[in-house]
Amino acid sequence: MDQVREYPFAAIVGQEDAKLAIILHLIHPGLNGVLLSGESGIGKTALLRGASQLLVDLPWVELPLGITEDRLYGGIDLEEAMVRGAISFKPGLLAEADGGCLLLDNIHLMDDQVVRAATFTAETGYLQIEREGGSYIINSEFCLFAAMNPDEGHAQPALLNRIGLFVHMEQVKNRTNRGEIIRRRLSFENHAECFEQAYMRQTEELRRRLIAARLMLPQVLADVAILKLAARLVSNQGFVGHRADLHIVEAARAHAAWEGREVVLEDDLVRVADFMINRGSIRQDDDHMTEREHRSETEGVDGDTDADQSVDLDATDTLPTNGESSDLESGAYKDLETEYGSAGESGAYMNDRLLGERSGGSVAHENVKDTISVIGRSAATNRILTDMRDEFVRKNPRGYMDGRRGKSRTAGNSGRLIGARLPKGVVKAPAFGATLRAAAPYQRFREKHGMAITIEPEDIRESIRERDSGSALLFVVDGSGSMAVKRRMEVVKGAIFDLLQDAYHKRDRVGMVLFRKDRAESVLPLTRSVKRANDQLLSLPTGGGTPLAHGLQLGAQMLSQAQRQYPGITTIMIVVTDGKANVGLPSTDSSTGVGQAFIKEQLQSVARMIREQLIQTIVIDSEQGFVRLGLAKQLADSMGAVYGSLDECDGRQLAHSVRRYTEML
Amino acid sequence: MGNQIGYPFAAIVGQEKMKKALLLNMINRKLGGVLIMGEKGTAKTTTVRAAAGLMTDMKVIHLPVSATEDRVVGTLDIQHAIQHGEKKFEPGLLAEADGHFLYVDEINLLEDHLIDVLLDAAASGMNTVEREGISYKHAARFVLVGTMNPEEGELRPQLLDRFAMSVEVTGEKELDKRIDVIRRRMEYEAGPEVFASHYEEEQIKLRDAIESARVLLPHVQLPGQLLELAAEIAIRTGVDGHRTDITMMKTAATLAAFRGAESATLEDLQEAAELVVPHRIKRRPFEDECSLTELLDSLFNGLRIGQ
């Protein structure tokens, strides 16, 4: 293969903040990583790959999307075992990055455990693994570089809680500069070698400066005045915890080194302050719950706990851990763990004995009790919940299914391959590599029958794939009418934001279909991104007729697609309407004079279709006024849906009811 | 390929935009692929096959929606390992597609993580495999062609941004053209070789044009004014990042090369914009179809008057 040429770091136009953050981390590996956040096509990958050319003597390892456990942590070297009968360990990518840099592009697309492992190791330089019958310790110190797209989803809490430098990248808006970006990129693609040459001088200069700064760093001192200033800066900004002061000082030291100084100045602090991530503000914009409120909630009104608390015992053949809170750092970070740690999710991963602890200090586990309690704020909520629960039980006499939320790791053939395990029962999807590795050490003692390897039944391992068993929650909302519609919108939007913020824990996707006038439209495609919801739901048009059938049809279609794209996902449709349909499906020829009876017929056939697909439905009745027609209830019945009422319900309560419902499934 | 002569590209009626998009991607393999949006039965597969048929060394690799990760990305060759005790990589569809078309029908139904892997490979031109004890890297330079029916679903914006261009195909509306389509098809089925021979000359001309364009492409001049105009279009339409601008210019350059011109013009850029921009515009719901054409017209007309 030809040598792959990377676009030169020095040739990148603008993005000075991102460039500086990367450079600072290259100077000072102790800064705990850089996270670049930005929209598609803004240059995140170009920056990270370009950076790989700056310190060419150091190892640069990129974690590819489909990486399996054995290549991440390492595993038995198959060939060594077969050829020499020796059990030797082939290091994984985490170990290969030792002394250099590890790249995680698109972390929002990566397996959570992979990101967690990389982050833990980056922080402490140490990871203890037990797998495939052996106990291994990985010692690896590296710089961590990660990139994400906020429109697609969020970064894993494990990462956000630890990452040192955060940069949000914006588009270059200046026309001339943008034109220059295009010109350079095309020039690079057409004549890569020449282009590289053109920037050789600048690249060399960068390298020289970088190396000098790295050498200088140990001599760089911050005096007491600087430390005091740092503390003040940090508290002014509202950062939590003492680590923030230390961190900003370390970053400032790196900056001073970069500037060729052995003394840290105020300017250094100010410059790096932009890169500090305010853990308290990670919770994005729409803040329905303050920290205090959330904490009192998790303490529980009636001690209800998340049914899904139980750990995914099937995940591995090692011992399960309990979903209990473990050693949390005292002080400020405690609240963060409560907010962002998730036992349901991390518990399953902890089964792999993913232990990142060193002596004290760093947070080892994220096994925080994730209690979803009843927000017993009003009788209305309780009523909705009781009604829904009764309805659900009535309609599903088999009873509750085994609750399991978030991502589940199961044997099977669909979903992303994560690793392997000893089979449980009939093997559905053999993991060949793992099976061979299990068989390899014993080849010396076995009959070969002309083959190089003999496999015994006890060698067989099955593949674990990651299936998205979170939920897709699609709101199908009636945007017709004029009187109550505003409130309806506010309640639904509130619920959507609330659910998305909880998506940190549950990995659910939330979307919205709006129907009004003559048709239904998707106003928010299923997403985990709060930012996306914010952008899309900012102003929604209302008024007009009620094309209910089209709303349901479109909703069913979107959820059906989700079922195919995300195997294992639970699909739930939440219809908010008063049921008074008066507009038929768009394909309906209006010249035939659409009567109410016809519309009703259409509605019934769509409702029937939904019931036949595996889409769970909730109908929330928005009917107001004294005289109730009860059409929404009729709709619910025809769809086999659970029924609830919007009366006296606000966004949070609606979100909560939906959450409780999904847990029952 | 195979026993039967494929349907000739030159014989395809209409669908000018789709044909153009495919041709551009064959001239410039690094353009970034085509997303074809349309209902079933609009000759999508036939056209892609026919395009590959123009070149002697290109074929169409199908990636089915039900494909497994192993099949797409490649995996450990078990048989070889068991028989010879050696680790060997068994290539997947991405390896097979290197240098060819990779065709994904109903791409909106493909498992999410597979789409990610696909687009990653398409963007970097390489497939990096780290799984099941195997570490392997290979070239994966393919032209990605995806199809979907916009009425049956949608793609994430980040995925849309990865496709260089998109085209909408509809069935032929004009009666004459429809009859033409049927007539030709029947003629082809009756005698493929004879049918193909009628178009042989045109096919050869097309092939030569593609080859010449390939040679000319690296030397096509891009006036600074055009670059800024591309940037302007991107800013005005509010698209994400910089990929749109860059792709617009690459497409304009390719169009110029195809014409045999040494420099890209306003017309090239306009045509490029119409291919590259539409699927990246974020539409506000319940608003009328945004009028990219109007925006482009006003921008370009303003420029022409100023010239």
Side-chain angles (χ1 to χ4, degrees):
Chain A
M1 266 196 331
D2 311 314
Q3 187 211 340
V4 175
R5 290 186 188 281
E6 302 295 353
Y7 189 87
F9 192 84
I12 290 171
V13 175
Q15 305 299 354
E16 296 307 322
D17 277 351
K19 286 190 210 164
L20 182 60
I22 292 172
I23 284 171
L24 290 181
H25 192 28
L26 286 174
I27 294 172
H28 192 348
L31 289 178
N32 274 348
V34 175
L35 175 60
L36 300 179
S37 164
E39 62 196 32
S40 185
I42 204 157
K44 307 182 290 286
T45 308
L47 271 164
L48 295 183
R49 294 243 175 96
S52 72
Q53 303 300 304
L54 291 177
L55 292 176
V56 283
D57 297 330
L58 302 184
W60 272 82
V61 177
E62 182 167 350
L63 291 188
L65 282 179
I67 190 170
T68 52
E69 284 174 352
D70 59 293
R71 288 305 302 135
L72 180 67
Y73 308 124
I76 292 177
D77 189 324
L78 196 58
E79 272 168 336
E80 279 293 292
M82 292 189 292
V83 170
R84 300 194 307 140
I87 302 180
S88 77
F89 184 73
K90 182 173 177 204
L93 293 186
L94 284 180
E96 279 181 31
D98 189 24
C101 306
L102 190 71
L103 233 80
L104 267 66
D105 208 350
N106 295 313
I107 49 164
H108 51 284
L109 299 177
M110 300 197 82
D111 179 42
D112 283 358
Q113 176 162 7
V114 172
V115 175
R116 232 188 293 252
T119 320
F120 279 20
T121 315
E123 190 180 37
T124 60
Y126 172 93
L127 199 66
Q128 184 177 332
I129 302 296
E130 288 186 35
R131 48 191 309 275
E132 296 187 338
S135 177
Y136 308 114
I137 292 174
I138 298 173
N139 280 307
S140 189
E141 309 215 348
F142 49 79
C143 294
L144 179 66
F145 292 102
M148 65 170 273
N149 186 336
D151 293 323
E152 285 236 65
H154 50 265
Q156 292 78 355
L159 188 76
L160 285 179
N161 281 340
R162 285 170 185 79
I163 205 82
L165 306 174
F166 178 84
V167 182
H168 183 74
M169 295 171 65
E170 298 278 348
Q171 267 185 35
V172 171
K173 288 282 198 240
N174 176 287
R175 238 173 50 152
T176 321
N177 289 348
R178 254 186 116 110
E180 183 62 16
I181 292 178
I182 305 172
R183 195 190 61 75
R184 289 189 192 184
R185 184 77 212 182
L186 291 182
S187 178
F188 170 70
E189 288 195 16
N190 283 334
H191 318 279
E193 215 174 309
C194 286
F195 190 78
E196 220 178 69
Q197 272 305 114
Y199 286 91
M200 190 49 78
R201 194 188 50 78
Q202 282 153 290
T203 308
E204 288 299 338
E205 174 59 26
L206 259 175
R207 285 186 188 137
R208 192 201 57 74
R209 214 175 147 190
L210 205 47
I211 292 169
R214 277 162 67 94
L215 286 173
M216 183 176 266
L217 182 68
Q219 282 100 285
V220 176
L221 295 173
D223 64 19
V224 173
I226 291 291
L227 295 177
K228 281 189 183 162
L229 183 55
R232 235 187 21 241
L233 246 175
V234 155
S235 83
N236 277 353
Q237 300 267 34
F239 289 103
V240 285
H242 298 293
R243 293 224 296 212
D245 322 25
L246 285 174
H247 190 69
I248 199 175
V249 169
E250 288 302 313
R253 284 184 63 233
H255 190 259
W258 176 242
E259 297 291 319
R261 274 183 278 107
E262 285 185 7
V263 177
V264 178
L265 302 175
E266 187 175 322
D267 285 344
D268 297 317
L269 277 177
V270 169
R271 183 65 182 97
V272 302
D274 288 336
F275 302 142
M276 298 298 116
I277 187 169
N278 187 346
R279 321 265 176 212
S281 76
I282 293 173
R283 212 24 134 66
Q284 315 265 350
D285 12 78
D286 214 50
D287 228 354
H288 283 287
M289 283 189 264
T290 65
E291 210 182 291
R292 192 167 41 85
E293 280 178 321
H294 186 103
R295 234 185 317 138
S296 65
E297 266 186 9
T298 57
E299 265 140 40
V301 169
D302 57 16
D304 238 359
T305 57
D306 186 351
D308 186 51
Q309 189 56 52
S310 67
V311 131
D312 188 358
L313 294 178
D314 285 348
T316 69
D317 50 352
T318 55
L319 295 170
T321 59
N322 297 320
E324 281 166 6
S325 47
S326 61
D327 330 315
L328 294 174
E329 249 192 325
S330 62
Y333 280 84
K334 182 172 188 148
D335 294 329
L336 287 163
E337 294 303 324
T338 313
E339 283 180 23
Y340 303 116
S342 165
E345 210 183 319
S346 62
Y349 301 126
M350 294 315 292
N351 278 342
D352 276 359
R353 305 257 190 97
L354 180 55
L355 308 168
E357 66 258 41
R358 256 239 163 113
S359 51
S362 34
V363 178
H365 305 266
E366 279 180 313
N367 271 350
V368 177
K369 215 170 178 125
D370 183 53
T371 56
I372 297 292
S373 62
V374 176
I375 307 177
R377 301 242 171 146
S378 81
T381 314
N382 281 333
R383 196 186 342 116
I384 292 181
L385 294 176
T386 324
D387 289 349
M388 280 169 50
R389 190 165 43 216
D390 290 348
E391 284 248 27
F392 179 78
V393 172
R394 194 167 47 80
K395 283 173 180 167
N396 296 274
R398 280 180 301 126
Y400 298 163
M401 287 167 11
D402 185 43
R404 191 170 294 172
R405 298 259 303 189
K407 285 208 198 271
S408 88
R409 316 176 97 226
T410 55
N413 267 316
S414 67
R416 177 158 54 186
L417 180 69
I418 302 297
R421 70 179 189 206
L422 283 173
K424 316 253 172 210
V426 175
V427 176
K428 284 169 251 165
F432 294 116
T435 303
L436 287 176
R437 281 196 302 278
Y442 305 104
Q443 294 311 303
R444 268 189 307 168
F445 312 106
R446 288 181 185 169
E447 274 296 319
K448 291 298 176 61
H449 308 291
M451 296 288 155
I453 302 184
T454 305
I455 296 177
E456 298 290 320
E458 62 261 22
D459 301 326
I460 307 270
R461 299 286 184 274
E462 61 180 1
S463 300
I464 309 178
R465 295 197 135 84
E466 179 181 73
R467 279 162 63 88
D468 231 317
S469 65
S471 304
L473 307 168
L474 186 65
F475 285 84
V476 176
V477 184
D478 189 336
S480 69
S482 50
M483 286 188 7
V485 70
K486 254 196 154 52
R487 193 187 157 253
R488 212 182 306 148
M489 287 298 152
E490 288 314 310
V491 171
V492 169
K493 283 198 223 181
I496 290 178
F497 282 115
D498 201 270
L499 285 166
L500 278 174
Q501 285 171 345
D502 194 46
Y504 266 118
H505 302 188
K506 301 293 185 192
R507 303 294 268 174
D508 292 336
R509 291 178 169 83
V510 186
M512 179 169 160
V513 163
L514 184 65
F515 59 92
R516 60 177 281 264
K517 277 177 91 178
D518 61 339
R519 65 186 192 278
E521 287 211 15
S522 153
V523 298
L524 178 67
L526 290 166
T527 182
R528 291 181 186 137
S529 168
V530 174
K531 178 170 182 290
R532 186 123 197 258
N534 208 26
D535 294 340
Q536 301 282 129
L537 301 180
L538 214 47
S539 64
L540 294 173
T542 55
T546 312
L548 178 54
H550 193 218
L552 296 174
Q553 193 185 61
L554 183 58
Q557 197 188 86
M558 283 173 68
L559 287 176
S560 171
Q561 184 184 297
Q563 281 170 342
R564 296 188 67 166
Q565 281 184 304
Y566 314 112
I569 201 168
T570 308
T571 47
I572 298 165
M573 183 155 70
I574 306 127
V575 188
V576 183
T577 182
D578 59 10
K580 296 174 190 157
N582 54 23
V583 178
L585 293 169
S587 49
T588 313
D589 187 3
S590 56
S591 68
T592 59
V594 182
Q596 269 305 115
F598 184 66
I599 290 175
K600 198 160 182 205
E601 214 180 279
Q602 270 188 350
L603 198 54
Q604 276 175 356
S605 96
V606 171
R608 217 177 310 130
M609 177 197 72
I610 289 174
R611 201 175 49 208
E612 282 157 20
Q613 297 182 338
L614 292 171
I615 296 174
Q616 308 287 341
T617 324
I618 305 174
V619 172
I620 303 285
D621 194 347
S622 61
E623 189 170 26
Q624 306 261 301
F626 216 48
V627 180
R628 300 289 173 107
L629 291 173
L631 290 171
K633 183 78 173 64
Q634 280 178 27
L635 178 68
D637 290 337
S638 64
M639 287 201 289
V642 163
Y643 171 85
S645 168
L646 195 63
D647 277 348
E648 301 163 43
C649 186
D650 74 8
R652 253 211 345 262
Q653 286 152 357
L654 177 56
H656 190 74
S657 309
V658 172
R659 260 189 233 117
R660 291 285 297 177
Y661 176 74
T662 56
E663 283 150 31
M664 289 194 278
L665 291 176
Chain B
M1 301 292 303
N3 297 325
Q4 184 163 27
I5 306 280
Y7 195 89
F9 191 83
I12 294 176
V13 178
Q15 307 298 2
E16 295 309 322
K17 234 180 160 192
M18 173 166 50
K19 292 194 294 199
K20 192 60 145 317
L22 291 170
L23 286 175
L24 291 174
N25 272 277
M26 287 160 71
I27 297 168
N28 187 346
R29 298 292 173 91
K30 294 192 287 192
L31 214 42
V34 190
L35 179 63
I36 305 178
M37 302 202 269
E39 333 151 315
K40 286 205 190 300
T42 42
K44 303 193 275 283
T45 318
T46 310
T47 313
V48 178
R49 278 217 195 101
L54 271 175
M55 314 301 291
T56 49
D57 59 348
M58 265 188 108
K59 52 183 181 172
V60 180
I61 305 290
H62 282 256
L63 198 155
V65 169
S66 56
T68 61
E69 205 178 353
D70 284 353
R71 187 68 194 101
V72 174
V73 159
T75 187
L76 181 68
D77 187 337
I78 295 303
Q79 191 162 16
H80 190 94
I82 292 178
Q83 283 178 332
H84 304 284
E86 265 178 357
K87 250 186 344 197
K88 197 167 154 242
F89 178 68
E90 185 176 325
L93 289 171
L94 287 181
E96 278 178 46
D98 185 29
H100 304 284
F101 281 103
L102 186 61
Y103 186 73
V104 189
D105 215 4
E106 296 194 291
I107 193 168
N108 57 309
L109 297 179
L110 191 62
E111 271 181 38
D112 218 40
H113 72 278
L114 281 181
I115 301 188
D116 295 331
V117 162
L118 204 62
L119 292 169
D120 200 41
S124 59
M126 288 213 298
N127 178 30
T128 308
V129 184
E130 292 281 352
R131 25 187 305 118
E132 290 273 72
I134 290 273
S135 295
Y136 199 85
K137 216 172 183 175
H138 67 79
R141 292 155 304 208
F142 50 85
V143 177
L144 181 64
V145 180
T147 74
M148 59 175 278
N149 186 339
E151 286 175 22
E152 285 178 8
E154 52 187 41
L155 277 184
R156 317 194 314 244
Q158 292 71 26
L159 302 184
L160 288 172
D161 190 37
R162 294 282 195 172
F163 276 99
M165 48 189 80
S166 72
V167 293
E168 271 181 40
V169 293
T170 53
E172 277 299 332
K173 297 272 175 7
E174 289 176 34
L175 189 59
D176 301 348
K177 286 239 176 91
R178 286 182 84 100
I179 293 174
D180 226 2
V181 170
I182 300 170
R183 195 176 47 76
R184 287 194 192 188
R185 188 80 213 180
M186 282 169 60
E187 222 182 290
Y188 167 73
E189 307 254 331
E193 278 98 358
V194 176
F195 184 75
S197 67
H198 293 326
Y199 296 93
E200 188 59 28
E201 205 182 306
E202 229 179 299
Q203 295 267 107
I204 293 176
K205 262 184 22 200
L206 257 175
R207 189 178 310 151
D208 289 343
I210 294 173
E211 290 294 353
S212 319
R214 273 221 204 124
V215 171
L216 186 54
L217 181 60
H219 309 287
V220 172
Q221 299 288 341
L222 299 170
Q225 185 199 38
L226 233 53
L227 290 172
E228 287 192 18
L229 189 53
E232 179 75 29
I233 295 171
I235 295 171
R236 293 265 201 111
T237 51
V239 294
D240 273 351
H242 301 287
R243 214 172 264 130
T244 316
D245 336 18
I246 294 171
T247 311
M248 246 193 285
M249 284 316 303
K250 276 160 77 164
T251 307
T254 313
L255 282 165
F258 191 47
R259 284 188 300 115
E262 284 178 354
S263 176
T265 62
L266 274 178
E267 282 78 22
D268 292 326
L269 185 60
Q270 183 154 12
E271 195 180 343
E274 274 159 20
L275 283 168
V276 166
V277 177
H279 60 291
R280 299 175 214 251
I281 296 185
K282 300 173 197 186
R283 199 172 69 84
R284 292 239 68 104
F286 289 103
E287 269 172 20
D288 293 325
E289 273 301 323
C290 80
S291 186
L292 174 68
T293 328
E294 272 172 30
L295 168 68
L296 289 178
D297 277 342
S298 71
L299 272 178
F300 283 105
N301 287 333
L303 275 166
R304 277 187 208 103
I305 293 170
Q307 269 178 335

